[in-house]
Amino acid sequence: MVTVHNEGYFLENGRLIAASQSARIPAEGKKRTISYGILQAHNTSGNPERLRIRFDAMASHDITYVGIIQTARASGLERFPLPYVLTNCHNSLCAVGGTINEDDHVFGLSAAKRYGGEFVPAHQAVIHSYMREMYAGGGRMILGSDSHTRYGAYGTMAIGEGGPELVKQLLEKTYDIAYPRVVGVHLTGKPRAGVGPQDVALALIGATFRAGTVKNSVMEFFGDGIASLAMDYRNGIDVMTTETSCLTSVWQTDDTVRRSLTAHGRAEAYRALAPQDGAYYDALIEVDLSRVEPMIALPFHPSNAYTIREFNENAADLLHAVDEATPSALGLKKQPESLLKKLKNGRFYADQGVIAGCSGGTYQNLLRTAEILRGRALGDDRFWLSCYPASQPVMMELMRTGALTDLMAAGASIRSAFCGPCFGAGDVPANGAFSLRHSTRNFPNREGSKPSDGQAAYVALMDARSIAASALNGGAITPATELEWLESDPAEVDYVFNPAPYSRVYHGVGRPQPEEPLVFGPNIADWPEQIALPENLLLTVASAIYDPVTTTDELIPSGETSSYRSNPLRLSEFALSRKDPAYVGRAKAVREQEQKRRADPESVDLGEFDPKTTGLGSAVMAIRPGDGSAREQAASCQRVLGGAANLCEDFATKRYRSNVINWGMVPFTVDRIADYNMQPGDRLYVPGIRAALLGEADRVEAVLMQGDARTPITLKLERLTREERDILLAGCLINYYAK
């Protein structure tokens, strides 16, 4: 299905040639990719290797936009200098947390009016569906405060980042990165009947994530196989590239893209894009679409991927592995009931199916689901199915074509546009239940269970087609390829886009009204003050995590905690609550001592260290933190609690590392960090950290104190730009821009 070549390749006369077999020069060949042209068109630095990007538009949803606007306000925001879309697709269950979710929406509308933005009310569209419909276009770049900001199939390079990077754009600054690796993804063949976009995506993720093949790289899709894919099919693959840990993605475009943009009333947004002859890729991934099989990603990561055939043949062994991983993944004190109990006569039975969000809730996915279920009934047993069209225009088209009626007649529950099933706030299954979802992630607790209450539930990712096939079999995991009567997905899908529901959207781009007051609810709070970096740091390890990868969901849980994301102090109480419940108390104790030190240095006994020049802070130690969501709160909550640093071997994603820096925490990396066996309560003295950052030092010598033991340790300051150093010196991005 997927073949990975971890070496450079050229595209020569339509053929792919290993760089070792070509006389061409890679430095010249990289200029012939789609990616190079788009990146340089948005680069303001004048240096093609050091990019300073200005984006064409931005997007945020109601988990993130309040904090972003509050940060920008504190840094001097007067107006939105580029189109900024505020959608409301996450915190739209107003029963959670009383009035505070709708209070955020009211704030968002008032901000769109005051600063000149676009406001999409709740239940109208999920963020990425709206941006595809209304903003994506050839050669554009869009920045979003959500990790699945991906519109590459339209020829748009879209990047998901933490809120501070959006703040920089609002303050007319730039997104600064070194020119990234560009990895070619060559598509050939045509998918078989029953194989959908999630199957292709999971095959890609399974082949690349663990090896870091495309980490922080651009994935550039090209090849004859693209012509066999409808627009929704391409979008469904593209949005899942986030789970490979790539930076962004872009596809070659064709008449299918042109027709889609024309159908959405934006024909002028089309641009023909394709790699030029001689294009060079730093690595190559070959995908034979005709060999892709229906896939399933078992808990607790999209990369835990198998063909459904493999799963059914080895279900007992694979489920046993999930059982073994569950207590650690969910933070449970005892082993929950085994998933093996769901095996009956050699078949595994799930309890629930959900097709939702930016990956699942597209028109084509739900149309195909309706075709599979038409004239059939789900039955009255335990298995149930929910379908969430990703926008009101998609809902209207499903209604016009009769597909919605077919779904409802089969017994499926139809919901409005909502991202809840993707982050643990919608369709929460029963304790011990197993959910099949065509959504973006199956991280721990993404189904909404609360391990603190001893609950356990599970999510597996599958394509809508195989979810529908499984539904016909009472929840027994079934690949849609077993439906012999099912035809292949057509490359063209008739679709009438009716924008009438978007009459509810407030269109204020370019029309700020500075006299318009911001409307604050009681839960919307300013960021607490942060101080500049001291001369020396005495860090206390407040949490030590030895998992191979730590997700942002583990650093700050998703789900109902999202209701508090407009209140930094209240949200910080949830930091690491599911991974290390004692972390908040440990961090607060250090913060209290630091507050006393700042008020009266002589009142704090630091032993051999001078309290006048040595600041106190907590630190989180993890092997590889930051996989997953772009949410800045994974870092800002640590900072609010007095966090001053992260210690790791490497950061799982650029976006989390950027969040750490922008919130004023030093991103220390350490070789073989596990060898030091750090534990909560260990201390780390970092002398001269301010001087190191004022200069260009790329490492600092520190002392690790574990009881009476003293161990020298080298802390690396890798890849820090001058601006990043200055942000750390100032104490956070707000301080840096407000100075």
Side-chain angles (χ1 to χ4, degrees):
M1 294 187 289
V2 179
T3 304
V4 176
H5 303 278
N6 289 307
E7 60 179 314
Y9 265 78
F10 285 98
L11 179 64
E12 296 184 7
N13 299 317
R15 298 172 58 237
L16 290 162
I17 308 294
S20 58
Q21 304 299 313
S22 174
R24 291 181 181 267
I25 301 172
E28 292 300 315
K30 78 176 186 179
K31 298 177 182 179
R32 306 182 74 79
T33 62
I34 300 170
S35 304
Y36 187 87
I38 296 175
L39 288 169
Q40 298 306 335
H42 292 81
N43 179 24
T44 65
S45 73
N47 180 349
E49 297 301 320
R50 301 299 308 179
L51 306 179
R52 298 176 68 88
I53 301 294
R54 286 220 169 109
F55 289 86
D56 298 301
M58 299 198 310
S60 294
H61 49 60
D62 46 345
I63 282 181
T64 56
Y65 65 61
V66 175
I68 290 167
I69 293 168
Q70 287 285 74
T71 302
R73 282 182 64 236
S75 304
L77 175 70
E78 295 182 356
R79 63 180 181 86
F80 294 160
L82 75 170
Y84 187 21
V85 178
L86 312 179
T87 67
N88 296 276
C89 50
H90 281 63
N91 284 348
S92 49
L93 291 180
C94 299
V96 179
T99 71
I100 58 180
N101 290 334
E102 187 62 16
D103 290 345
D104 286 356
H105 301 167
V106 172
F107 173 89
L109 177 59
S110 70
K113 291 179 177 179
R114 180 180 180 88
Y115 299 117
E118 195 158 321
F119 180 83
V120 184
H123 307 290
Q124 293 292 303
V126 301
I127 178 173
H128 305 309
S129 181
Y130 186 83
M131 295 305 289
R132 290 176 196 145
E133 291 171 353
M134 307 304 290
Y135 274 88
R140 297 181 180 179
M141 291 193 72
I142 293 176
L143 183 65
S145 56
D146 183 272
S147 56
H148 289 95
T149 305
R150 293 284 187 270
Y151 319 124
Y154 281 103
T156 298
M157 293 184 76
I159 298 176
E161 278 283 0
E165 292 299 331
L166 280 78
V167 170
K168 292 178 183 178
Q169 296 289 310
L170 291 178
L171 300 176
E172 300 188 75
K173 309 300 181 181
T174 55
Y175 179 76
D176 301 344
I177 56 171
Y179 189 84
R181 293 172 71 245
V182 179
V183 177
V185 184
H186 186 230
L187 302 183
T188 59
K190 176 182 179 181
R192 291 180 288 162
V195 172
Q198 187 82 323
D199 299 318
V200 180
L202 293 177
L204 265 172
I205 295 162
T208 60
F209 173 77
R210 297 191 188 282
T213 305
V214 295
K215 179 181 175 182
N216 295 332
S217 303
V218 180
M219 296 179 75
E220 182 164 309
F221 290 75
F222 65 100
D224 295 342
I226 292 177
S228 70
L229 307 179
M231 199 68 232
D232 276 350
Y233 205 114
R234 302 178 195 190
N235 287 332
I237 298 169
D238 183 67
V239 73
M240 291 296 291
T241 60
T242 294
E243 304 311 322
T244 67
S245 74
C246 74
L247 176 71
T248 184
S249 59
V250 68
W251 294 50
Q252 75 178 43
T253 59
D254 57 16
D255 280 347
T256 296
V257 179
R258 185 198 303 273
R259 284 189 287 271
S260 177
L261 288 168
T262 300
H264 286 84
R266 299 193 299 112
E268 77 287 349
Y270 176 75
R271 181 176 162 192
L273 299 172
Q276 301 173 47
D277 186 61
Y280 173 78
Y281 297 101
D282 295 287
L284 177 69
I285 301 169
E286 295 188 275
V287 182
D288 183 348
L289 296 169
S290 67
R291 295 180 57 203
V292 175
E293 297 183 46
M295 303 288 294
I296 181 170
L298 296 175
F300 295 96
H301 198 277
S303 64
N304 193 18
Y306 303 87
T307 66
I308 295 179
R309 173 182 51 79
E310 290 173 321
F311 172 76
N312 284 333
E313 290 173 354
N314 304 280
D317 290 340
L318 294 174
L319 292 169
H320 176 71
V322 175
D323 281 346
E324 291 293 301
T326 295
S328 174
L330 299 184
L332 300 175
K333 294 180 180 179
K334 63 179 181 178
Q335 183 78 45
E337 190 172 12
S338 174
L339 286 171
L340 293 174
K341 70 183 178 64
K342 296 182 180 294
L343 277 173
K344 299 175 183 177
N345 299 319
R347 301 293 298 274
F348 179 80
Y349 284 79
D351 303 281
Q352 178 200 65
V354 178
I355 302 169
C358 54
S359 66
T362 63
Y363 176 73
Q364 186 178 23
N365 283 341
L366 293 171
L367 183 68
R368 296 299 271 168
T369 302
E371 290 171 357
I372 292 170
L373 298 181
R374 183 177 296 139
R376 299 168 175 85
L378 300 180
D380 59 0
D381 211 340
R382 291 184 60 183
F383 188 86
W384 51 291
L385 176 66
S386 296
C387 300
Y388 293 72
S391 72
Q392 286 293 83
V394 169
M395 175 90 82
M396 287 182 67
E397 183 65 356
L398 291 168
M399 188 182 303
R400 186 186 70 82
T401 60
L404 210 59
T405 300
D406 292 330
L407 290 169
M408 296 175 73
S413 176
I414 309 301
R415 315 295 177 85
S416 61
F418 179 42
C419 293
C422 294
F423 73 98
D427 275 327
V428 179
N431 180 50
F434 198 96
S435 179
L436 306 176
R437 302 196 175 194
H438 191 152
S439 60
T440 54
R441 288 196 172 124
N442 61 336
F443 290 175
N445 314 118
R446 280 275 171 153
E447 80 301 314
S449 67
K450 294 176 65 176
S452 59
D453 295 333
Q455 299 174 16
Y458 308 84
V459 168
L461 300 183
M462 281 173 44
D463 188 82
R465 294 147 189 79
S466 290
I467 292 175
S470 301
L472 291 179
N473 287 324
I477 306 296
T478 305
T481 48
E482 288 188 3
L483 304 176
E484 296 182 356
W485 50 268
L486 191 65
E487 297 180 355
S488 296
D489 278 42
E492 294 295 332
V493 178
D494 291 334
Y495 176 72
V496 177
F497 174 73
N498 186 342
Y502 292 158
S503 62
R504 287 280 299 121
V505 173
Y506 174 78
H507 297 281
V509 172
R511 297 186 289 108
Q513 302 175 49
E515 72 283 358
E516 186 74 25
L518 292 174
V519 181
F520 291 89
N523 186 58
I524 298 176
D526 290 330
W527 291 104
E529 181 183 5
Q530 303 298 333
I531 65 165
L533 188 72
E535 292 180 35
N536 314 302
L537 265 180
L538 183 58
L539 297 170
T540 299
V541 177
S543 185
I545 305 171
Y546 286 91
D547 296 343
V549 177
T550 302
T551 69
T552 47
D553 280 45
E554 293 169 308
L555 295 168
I556 183 66
S558 59
E560 81 268 20
T561 58
S562 66
S563 294
Y564 300 101
R565 296 195 192 275
S566 302
N567 189 319
L569 290 173
R570 290 190 69 182
L571 182 64
S572 69
E573 297 289 335
F574 294 94
L576 275 79
S577 58
R578 294 176 179 172
K579 191 66 181 175
D580 186 355
Y583 164 75
V584 170
R586 298 186 196 116
K588 281 184 173 180
V590 177
R591 183 182 66 182
E592 182 179 347
Q593 286 295 101
E594 169 62 8
Q595 289 170 340
K596 288 176 62 178
R597 184 198 70 82
R598 294 207 306 263
D600 180 8
E602 301 298 332
S603 68
V604 177
D605 182 9
L606 297 187
E608 62 197 276
F609 308 116
D610 184 357
K612 294 180 181 179
T613 60
T614 302
L616 304 177
S618 59
V620 169
M621 187 239 90
I623 303 296
R624 190 170 172 240
D627 181 36
S629 171
R631 70 178 81 107
E632 66 182 273
Q633 294 90 347
S636 66
C637 283
Q638 296 174 46
R639 184 62 170 158
V640 167
L641 291 168
N646 270 202
L647 310 167
C648 63
E649 285 189 4
D650 188 21
F651 289 91
T653 59
K654 177 210 169 291
R655 53 184 174 268
Y656 176 69
R657 179 181 179 274
S658 294
N659 286 337
V660 168
I661 293 168
N662 286 326
W663 280 107
M665 295 188 293
V666 186
F668 290 125
T669 53
V670 180
D671 292 334
R672 300 177 62 85
I673 195 170
D675 291 351
Y676 292 93
N677 193 30
M678 293 184 197
Q679 299 298 325
D682 290 349
R683 296 194 301 170
L684 198 66
Y685 179 58
V686 190
I689 181 60
R690 187 170 185 87
L693 289 170
L694 279 167
E696 298 298 325
D698 61 1
R699 61 193 61 220
V700 61
E701 300 303 323
V703 179
L704 176 62
M705 295 173 285
Q706 298 169 297
D708 293 331
R710 299 287 187 274
T711 305
I713 184 172
T714 299
L715 306 178
K716 293 188 290 184
L717 300 165
E718 297 183 290
R719 307 183 305 277
L720 286 173
T721 67
R722 182 67 258 165
E723 183 178 71
E724 288 174 335
R725 290 170 181 269
D726 290 341
I727 290 170
L728 292 169
L729 289 164
C732 66
L733 186 76
I734 295 174
N735 293 357
Y736 174 70
Y737 284 132
K739 64 185 178 182

